[in-house]
Amino acid sequence: MNENPITNVLVVGVGGQGVILASNILCEVALRAGFDTKKSEVHGMSQRGGSVTSHVRFGEKVFSPLIPSGQADSLLAFEAAEALRYCHEVKDGGYLIVSTQKIIPPIASGRRGLKYPENPIEECKKVCAGHVIPIDAEKIALELGNPRLTNTILLGALSKNLKIDETVWRDTIAQMVPKKTIEVNLVAFERGRNSEIK
Amino acid sequence: MIEMNEKKVLLFGNEAIAQGAREAGVYFAAAYPGTPSTEILEVFATFPGIYAKWSPNEKVALEVGIGASLSGTRTLVCMKHVGVNVAMDPLMTFTYTGVNGGFVLVSADDPELHSSQNEQDNRILGKFAKIPTFDPSDSQDCLDFTKLGYDVSEKFNTPVLLRETTRIAHAKSLVKIGEWKEPVRGQFFKRDTSRFVMMPIFAKSRHTFVEARTLELQKFSNEWEGNQLELKDPEIGIITSGVAYQYIRELLPNASFLKVGLVWPFPDEKAKKLAAYCKRILVVEELEPFLEDEAKLIGIKCEGKKYFPREGELNLDKVALGLYEAGIKEIKPTIKRGTEVLPRPPVLCPGCPHRGVFMALSKLNADVFGDIGCYTLSALQPLESLHTCLCMGASIGNAVGVAITSTEPKHPPVAVLGDSTFLHSGVTGLMDMVYTQANMTLVILDNEITAMTGGQDHPSSGRDLMGNPAPKINLEKLVRSMGIEKVEIVDTYDFDEAFKQIKSAIEFPGPSVVIAHRPCALFPKKAKIKPYYVKEEPCTGCGLCLKIGCPALSASGKKTAKGLDIPVIDATVCTGCTLCVQVCKFDAIDPITIEEEVTV
Ligand SMILES: Cc1ncc(C[n+]2csc(CCOP(=O)(O)OP(=O)(O)O)c2C)c(N)n1
């Protein structure tokens, strides 16, 4: 049916946002669903507020640990300007799931003309070949009483377009988050999964 | 699909190397941290029944490792690619002495310079040292090659090099793990003067040994099934190693392949078989034309760097483009260009103790000879107050050279380096600074940790890698003992005082040292959040606070009456270091009290 049986998910954000944790959970889900799985990321500078990307690929057999240009089935973006930076990587008919959160880097504060994009999500809609799905994950997380839940909410939204059984997701999340937060994480996952597609 | 009955787990290359070492019965491991190698020791140190340590630098790590091997212990030593340069001196003669306990040296190369100062290809150093050199293509290779490395090391009496790259070290793939072996620990050092005293009379015959060993290793390389020869399509044969294998294999699944796991000695017979079978041979490898040169040396007609770049990492797109240019793929791959978005470079953290030093040096307009560590980020906007960076420890020597040769210095020379870097290779530079009585200042940024690589301990941090307390080298006593008379200890959170002391050190005629002491805001424990906020009322929008380059501060979007930006502090990351408060001339930044916190 599909000449390329590999699913490519690119996860992007800013150091400290939980990009790596999210891609770890995704890998584990793919693995449990029975796929050969690879992921690649560059750490090092990630803790210093730099831009962070993680490539996750799964399928029958995966060779390259990196996603080819413009071939992401899904792009999961934790930050709006980072979504804009990478949204051209989404393939035709793919998905950009983007948190509406904005993190303005110090470099935009100087007087040297570097500007944070005015409306990054609108711009994504112009550039991105796939569907753009913005989510106010921060707001949902606050409603649920814990800002750290943005991660799981975004994964919930991502899960909808990856043909992996929901129970695999739920089981994996339950195993990978701290025990005390399992319930609320599963609620967060559900909220993300059912978040409206605009 | 994965066979669920096999025990397969997803591991980073670095985790797989640690696991491979443990499965081979390695007892002892030493390293100096460096991206992308650091996690190998961090993982190995969590295993029971072993000994793992950080050394002050790579040369010492290797020397300690050689000692462990001489006692008969199976030993692992790890470093980043440039670390091998530091360790090259012992390595070049260790190859002569050979090992007692099996010995694997890991070099983690960094094509694309994700976090390095150059992108050298250390397969060349393996060949130079005449030691068998493995180049894994995924995490399974990492485990298998490491494990096998110990048998090769002992069988052929040689140190072994495992050369990985960032995309191997920091990529996860499925690995079948095996049983741990009882760690192999030697009993004692057995004297053998003709092998271990490398003076000319003995070293000469060891060189003869090395040449004979090379011939044996050459045979092994041709026999070993890890140098995989797969004869399929007779039109095109690929010689490849490392991560490049994954890209070309995905793009040309039906080609004939020689996947080289042991790149030196090069499996020449296998390469000749491939060449005899295929009409055309392409060599696909990252960085230098290592395999290509080896193949050409034995007379194989092949092409490589003609189509595939020598700089940076490869990826599917670059390899596909090379295949198009070589006339193998008909369609030119299109690489989509993204939207220009403002860059998001890494920055000094909120509460970073280095910030105050660079604010002061910028104000004093010093020529700053820098070094490698988090503080190198001060070369960029907005601090822009660090003017050289070459390799670890170079700052002091560079400043000495400038100080003693400049006829009309424009600015005072100041060398700046971190505590870990100082202990790594700054101490000898300091000796030269004293010896020549260079008129300059050395600032040691003492944050009690190796921060840049993720917070590793060092000989002055007070802890060891296995979580035990350790003696702390006293930097002040060390510096004074060398004969520096002008030594100032400053707290960089007190900007005025720090500025005054740094200025007085710079004005001092002759060599002076400032130790800027304040623990790192991130390691070993994250600094507590004690946030401040900007009061819109007295704030004039002068922008001074934004110039200190703290990521907690940004333009709020609100303007003053005069249309200037009013900054805002991100209360979730502000550590309350108060540097912005100290530079504010209008008293416009206050701590958030509990009540205010509710409304913010
Ligand atoms: C020879 C060599 N080994 C290791 C590294 C990796 N590395 C870069 S900076 C650094 C240490 C930085 O620690 P420190 O000097 O204490 O400064 P900090 O990052 O804590 O500010 C290391 C290990 C390197 N670049 N070169």
Side-chain angles (χ1 to χ4, degrees):
Chain A
M1 198 175 88
N2 186 349
E3 94 254 357
N4 172 19
I6 296 174
T7 303
N8 297 314
V9 182
L10 184 60
V11 190
V12 305
V14 177
Q17 277 195 302
V19 167
I20 296 197
L21 178 65
S23 73
N24 275 342
I25 293 180
L26 171 58
C27 276
E28 199 55 39
V29 167
L31 187 59
R32 288 178 189 208
F35 292 111
D36 184 18
T37 306
K38 280 191 178 171
K39 92 154 181 167
S40 175
E41 64 216 5
V42 172
H43 334 176
M45 298 293 207
S46 58
Q47 255 142 337
R48 316 281 181 295
S51 119
V52 181
T53 60
S54 179
H55 293 229
V56 177
R57 310 187 79 204
F58 56 90
E60 210 166 288
K61 172 79 192 155
V62 181
F63 287 101
S64 164
L66 292 174
I67 299 168
S69 155
Q71 290 300 313
D73 295 277
S74 291
L75 168 60
L76 182 60
F78 281 58
E79 201 273 345
E82 294 307 308
L84 181 57
R85 193 190 311 282
Y86 294 105
C87 66
H88 62 286
E89 301 290 3
V90 178
K91 73 178 192 197
D92 248 353
Y95 296 89
L96 162 59
I97 292 124
V98 48
S99 163
T100 52
Q101 188 182 2
K102 293 178 183 174
I103 298 177
I104 299 169
I107 207 165
S109 307
R111 304 241 163 92
R112 306 203 196 189
L114 282 170
K115 287 252 159 13
Y116 187 89
E118 284 281 317
N119 197 337
I121 292 182
E122 284 312 308
E123 286 181 57
C124 282
K125 287 182 182 161
K126 288 182 214 149
V127 180
C128 184
H131 313 280
V132 178
I133 307 174
I135 294 178
D136 195 341
E138 258 188 313
K139 191 170 136 222
I140 302 176
L142 283 179
E143 281 169 24
L144 297 174
N146 184 350
R148 291 207 192 145
L149 292 169
T150 45
N151 220 304
T152 319
I153 295 164
L154 291 171
L155 284 171
L158 172 74
S159 71
K160 212 159 165 179
N161 310 310
L162 298 179
K163 293 169 195 81
I164 295 180
D165 202 57
E166 193 183 338
T167 51
V168 179
W169 278 96
R170 298 179 68 90
D171 291 351
T172 311
I173 289 171
Q175 272 196 17
M176 289 181 75
V177 300
K179 263 222 167 63
K180 276 189 282 181
T181 68
I182 294 179
E183 289 283 304
V184 66
N185 266 292
L186 290 177
V187 174
F189 178 76
E190 213 46 51
R191 286 286 300 269
R193 202 170 158 91
N194 297 325
S195 58
E196 202 171 304
I197 295 180
K198 285 174 211 164
Chain B
M1 295 274 169
I2 309 153
E3 299 280 328
M4 271 314 191
N5 52 2
E6 283 179 25
K7 180 145 172 62
K8 281 204 171 178
V9 288
L10 265 177
L11 292 184
F12 282 113
N14 281 349
E15 295 173 307
I17 291 173
Q19 171 71 20
R22 193 63 186 76
E23 287 182 21
V26 169
Y27 171 72
F28 181 78
Y32 181 71
T35 312
S37 72
T38 313
E39 301 83 8
I40 305 171
L41 263 255
E42 289 178 331
V43 172
F44 189 77
T46 65
F47 297 154
I50 53 85
Y51 193 109
K53 75 180 295 291
W54 297 125
S55 285
N57 69 27
E58 292 85 353
K59 178 171 184 282
V60 176
L62 179 58
E63 288 158 348
V64 174
I66 292 171
S69 166
L70 292 193
S71 88
T73 299
R74 282 199 160 183
T75 299
L76 175 72
V77 174
C78 308
M79 52 195 64
K80 70 183 284 162
H81 60 333
V82 287
V84 183
N85 303 340
V86 177
M88 212 56 201
D89 203 3
L91 183 64
M92 291 304 289
T93 303
F94 183 31
T95 183
Y96 280 25
T97 66
V99 305
N100 279 348
F103 188 101
V104 173
L105 170 66
V106 178
S107 164
D109 294 10
D110 191 17
E112 199 74 33
L113 306 97
H114 293 290
S115 33
S116 300
Q117 64 266 40
N118 77 16
E119 51 181 351
Q120 69 188 51
D121 184 337
N122 278 4
R123 291 177 301 173
I124 295 175
L125 292 188
K127 179 179 178 176
F128 187 41
K130 303 193 179 194
I131 54 179
T133 301
F134 289 97
D135 195 10
S137 295
D138 59 16
S139 298
Q140 185 70 60
D141 279 357
C142 284
L143 188 153
D144 295 344
F145 296 179
T146 304
K147 202 169 161 182
L148 175 75
Y150 286 91
D151 296 332
V152 169
S153 172
E154 286 168 6
K155 179 166 177 217
F156 296 95
N157 196 0
T158 177
V160 164
L161 180 65
L162 182 94
R163 176 265 195 180
E164 60 164 353
T165 56
T166 304
R167 286 294 166 204
I168 301 296
H170 289 170
K172 276 190 176 181
S173 60
L174 284 170
V175 177
K176 193 172 168 223
I177 59 174
E179 299 289 316
W180 282 355
K181 200 180 143 190
E182 186 62 29
V184 180
R185 193 173 170 185
Q187 279 184 303
F188 54 87
F189 169 63
K190 281 192 224 97
R191 296 176 192 165
D192 184 348
T193 305
S194 65
R195 232 184 103 197
F196 299 132
V197 182
M198 286 298 92
M199 52 203 283
I201 159 176
F202 301 125
K204 224 174 183 166
S205 64
R206 292 308 293 176
H207 187 184
T208 310
F209 159 77
V210 168
E211 297 309 322
R213 181 180 74 196
T214 297
L215 295 178
E216 293 300 312
L217 283 165
Q218 183 73 58
K219 259 193 252 160
F220 170 76
S221 187
N222 279 316
E223 286 158 11
W224 178 50
E225 71 279 6
N227 285 332
Q228 283 171 27
L229 183 63
E230 231 184 310
L231 300 178
K232 292 202 291 195
D233 183 357
E235 291 299 315
I236 172 111
I238 304 288
I239 300 177
T240 182
S241 77
V243 74
Y245 165 77
Q246 306 293 355
Y247 305 133
I248 184 74
R249 183 65 206 256
E250 182 160 331
L251 291 166
L252 290 185
N254 298 319
S256 295
F257 270 88
L258 175 58
K259 172 183 180 282
V260 190
L262 184 68
V263 293
W264 192 89
F266 183 67
D268 52 0
E269 295 302 330
K270 283 186 178 171
K272 281 180 194 159
K273 269 190 205 148
L274 182 78
Y277 178 79
C278 297
K279 275 203 192 125
R280 187 173 180 195
I281 300 291
L282 277 188
V283 186
V284 186
E285 59 192 321
E286 243 170 25
L287 296 180
E288 297 303 312
F290 183 87
L291 302 173
E292 186 180 345
D293 287 350
E294 293 292 316
K296 284 180 174 162
L297 270 176
I298 52 170
I300 291 177
K301 224 178 114 225
C302 58
E303 298 156 304
K305 289 297 152 188
K306 189 170 165 197
Y307 305 118
F308 306 100
R310 195 171 185 146
E311 294 163 43
E313 286 186 305
L314 294 180
N315 56 35
L316 287 168
D317 302 304
K318 289 188 197 173
V319 175
L321 187 63
L323 290 177
Y324 167 77
E325 277 162 8
I328 291 165
K329 285 262 181 199
E330 271 152 35
I331 304 164
K332 185 170 181 178
T334 47
I335 295 178
K336 285 198 201 165
R337 292 265 316 270
T339 315
E340 282 284 327
V341 178
L342 84 169
R344 199 187 288 276
V347 285
L348 294 179
C349 303
C352 175
H354 302 335
R355 183 170 284 110
V357 170
F358 290 94
M359 285 160 58
L361 291 171
S362 156
K363 211 166 152 184
L364 290 162
N365 199 7
D367 277 339
V368 177
F369 298 88
D371 223 296
I372 306 194
C374 292
Y375 45 91
T376 316
L377 297 170
S378 316
L380 308 176
Q381 286 178 30
L383 288 165
E384 295 179 300
S385 49
L386 178 143
H387 311 112
T388 65
C389 165
L390 227 72
C391 69
M392 289 190 70
S395 55
I396 308 180
N398 293 164
V400 170
V402 165
I404 59 183
T405 60
S406 302
T407 54
E408 288 171 67
K410 279 210 175 124
H411 309 288
V414 175
V416 181
L417 84 187
D419 49 353
S420 184
T421 302
F422 176 66
L423 294 166
H424 176 281
S425 49
V427 182
T428 42
L430 176 60
M431 283 178 204
D432 207 31
M433 170 175 152
V434 174
Y435 190 39
T436 42
Q437 285 297 296
N439 186 9
M440 58 171 280
T441 301
L442 164 63
V443 181
I444 302 172
L445 303 166
D446 178 12
N447 62 354
E448 299 190 356
I449 205 90
T450 318
M452 179 82 194
T453 41
Q456 290 74 32
D457 285 297
H458 61 57
S460 168
S461 74
R463 288 166 307 266
D464 72 13
L465 175 56
M466 301 199 293
N468 306 309
K472 253 180 149 167
I473 289 182
N474 184 316
L475 298 180
E476 183 189 355
K477 282 191 188 158
L478 175 65
V479 167
R480 286 200 192 276
S481 74
M482 288 201 194
I484 297 280
E485 269 151 37
K486 175 82 175 164
V487 181
E488 301 293 345
I489 316 281
V490 304
D491 175 358
T492 55
Y493 278 7
D494 181 352
F495 181 68
D496 286 342
E497 189 58 25
F499 179 81
K500 219 172 79 195
Q501 301 299 354
I502 294 173
K503 185 161 182 277
S504 92
I506 289 178
E507 284 165 358
F508 179 84
S512 58
V513 172
V514 175
I515 299 176
H517 176 250
R518 199 18 112 157
C520 174
L522 210 53
F523 307 112
K525 269 209 307 261
K526 225 174 169 165
K528 285 228 173 68
I529 307 287
K530 284 177 275 176
Y532 280 64
Y533 75 107
V534 179
K535 294 179 287 183
E536 282 169 36
E537 202 357 57
C539 176
T540 63
C542 73
L544 261 186
C545 58
L546 292 172
K547 282 206 185 128
I548 70 175
C550 176
L553 273 154
S554 61
S556 64
K558 291 184 191 158
K559 308 269 182 195
T560 61
K562 286 189 183 156
L564 297 173
D565 276 322
I566 298 178
V568 60
I569 296 176
D570 180 348
T572 62
V573 295
C574 171
T575 66
C577 77
T578 76
L579 277 184
C580 60
V581 182
Q582 295 176 53
V583 296
C584 178
K585 295 196 173 123
F586 304 97
D587 222 358
I589 307 177
D590 267 359
I592 296 179
T593 61
I594 300 301
E595 287 142 281
E596 278 162 328
E597 198 163 14
V598 181
T599 58
V600 163

